[in-house]
């Protein structure tokens, strides 16, 4: 696993993709932060900033994950990975960890913006619990999104299709709860609310650590990584 992790992590910075991701992410992060906090004046809302960022993740995270397995297929190096002396679980987790490290590192770098809230904000300083809880939630949601991207990338050798497919799946998990107002069936509304990533995020914007939501986000990551391993198990014995 460690060899795959190091190889993939290095590949993000020996090609433009890592730098492009960081530049786009930090630009979007800075623009959203400024719009919802510094420029909003008395109407500033840290919670709105974090909410906007989780929607922004649906566009920027596919830049990281679209090449994870798609490029291996295109360059015909996939068979080398599957026959290497490493478990399939280690291979998949190594790729996930490399992509997640780039995402998490870039996001935490963007969190330096928070210092501006204490230096330039009004008398009501931002609640530390809100910042910490929301940051943890975004990191967990980012992990779930990276796992989804890794899974979709394993299904195709076309990076563009992998990116579009990842956006579609992540978007579905985010907006599924919004359909509740149009569904008269109670059990179906509850099911959609349970699946919704967005509906579980609200508590964190108030500084409340929702441990059920944390478990849910971690479970999403596990399920999609497990599905990716299963795909390669079938290919190995096909």
């Amino acid at each position: 696993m460690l060899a795959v992790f190091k190889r993939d992590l290095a590949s993000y910075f020996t090609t433009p993709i890592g730098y492009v991701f960081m530049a786009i992410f930090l630009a979007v992060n800075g623009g959203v932060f400024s719009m919802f906090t510094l420029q909003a004046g008395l109407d500033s809302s840290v919670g709105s900033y974090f909410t906007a960022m989780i929607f922004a993740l649906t566009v920027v995270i596919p830049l990281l994950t679209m090449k994870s397995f798609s490029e291996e297929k295109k360059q015909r190096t996939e068979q080398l990975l599957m026959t290497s002396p490493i478990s399939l679980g280690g291979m998949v987790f190594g790729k996930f960890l490399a992509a997640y490290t780039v995402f998490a590192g870039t996001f935490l770098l963007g969190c330096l913006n928070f210092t501006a809230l204490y230096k330039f904000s009004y008398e009501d300083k931002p609640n530390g619990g809100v910042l910490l809880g929301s940051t943890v939630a975004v990191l967990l949601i980012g992990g779930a999104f990276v796992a989804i991207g890794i899974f979709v990338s394993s299904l195709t050798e076309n990076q563009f299709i992998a990116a579009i497919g990842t956006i579609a799946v992540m978007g579905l998990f985010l907006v599924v709860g919004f359909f509740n107002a149009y569904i008269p069936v109670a059990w179906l509304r509850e099911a959609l609310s349970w699946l919704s990533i967005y509906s579980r995020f609200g508590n964190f914007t108030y500084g409340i650590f929702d441990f059920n939501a944390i478990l849910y986000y971690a479970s999403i990551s596990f399920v999609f990584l497990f599905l990716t391993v299963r795909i390669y198990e079938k290919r190995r014995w096909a």
Side-chain angles (χ1 to χ4, degrees):
M1 183 195 77
L2 188 59
V4 175
F5 166 71
K6 289 181 177 179
R7 170 179 172 268
D8 275 50
L9 184 61
S11 73
Y12 284 116
F13 299 102
T14 55
T15 61
I17 189 65
Y19 301 102
V20 170
F21 169 80
M22 292 180 69
I24 292 176
F25 186 95
L26 291 175
V28 171
N29 180 69
V32 170
F33 179 81
S34 178
M35 181 185 304
F36 286 101
T37 58
L38 301 181
Q39 294 181 13
L42 294 175
D43 296 322
S44 65
S45 172
V46 174
S48 296
Y49 154 71
F50 282 108
T51 299
M53 279 308 301
I54 65 172
F55 281 92
L57 293 183
T58 63
V59 179
V60 294
I61 281 184
L63 293 174
L64 278 181
T65 60
M66 65 183 185
K67 78 180 195 69
S68 296
F69 284 108
S70 298
E71 188 175 45
E72 302 284 0
K73 293 180 182 179
K74 188 175 182 179
Q75 295 182 353
R76 301 294 186 265
T77 56
E78 186 182 52
Q79 290 298 323
L80 293 176
L81 274 178
M82 289 194 293
T83 56
S84 62
I86 182 175
S87 67
L88 292 178
M91 176 188 74
V92 170
F93 189 70
K95 285 184 169 291
F96 165 80
L97 196 57
Y100 184 72
T101 298
V102 177
F103 156 72
T106 306
F107 174 68
L108 292 175
L109 180 62
C111 288
L112 292 176
N113 290 330
F114 297 161
T115 58
L117 294 178
Y118 291 92
K119 187 174 182 180
F120 300 110
S121 63
Y122 299 92
E123 293 182 1
D124 292 330
K125 300 299 183 182
N127 187 309
V130 172
L131 292 178
L132 179 60
S134 298
T135 298
V136 169
V138 172
L139 288 172
L140 288 168
I141 292 172
F145 284 171
V146 169
I148 291 171
I150 293 288
F151 168 72
V152 176
S153 180
S154 70
L155 300 176
T156 176
E157 68 176 27
N158 188 306
Q159 294 186 30
F160 179 75
I161 293 176
I164 296 300
T166 302
I167 291 172
V169 176
M170 291 190 301
L172 181 62
F173 271 99
L174 275 178
V175 305
V176 67
F178 295 133
F179 298 128
N180 283 353
Y182 308 100
I183 297 175
V185 183
W187 68 266
L188 186 54
R189 287 200 303 270
E190 292 179 4
L192 292 178
S193 294
W194 186 86
L195 284 173
S196 174
I197 283 178
Y198 176 74
S199 65
R200 295 171 181 270
F201 178 69
N203 285 338
F204 291 96
T205 62
Y206 295 102
I208 301 172
F209 279 81
D210 187 341
F211 290 101
N212 288 329
I214 292 174
L215 180 60
Y216 170 75
Y217 295 143
S219 298
I220 291 291
S221 300
F222 173 80
V223 167
F224 279 96
L225 292 178
F226 174 77
L227 291 175
T228 306
V229 172
R230 291 293 297 165
I231 285 173
Y232 276 93
E233 283 180 349
K234 290 184 178 180
R235 286 181 185 167
R236 172 176 279 183
W237 300 109

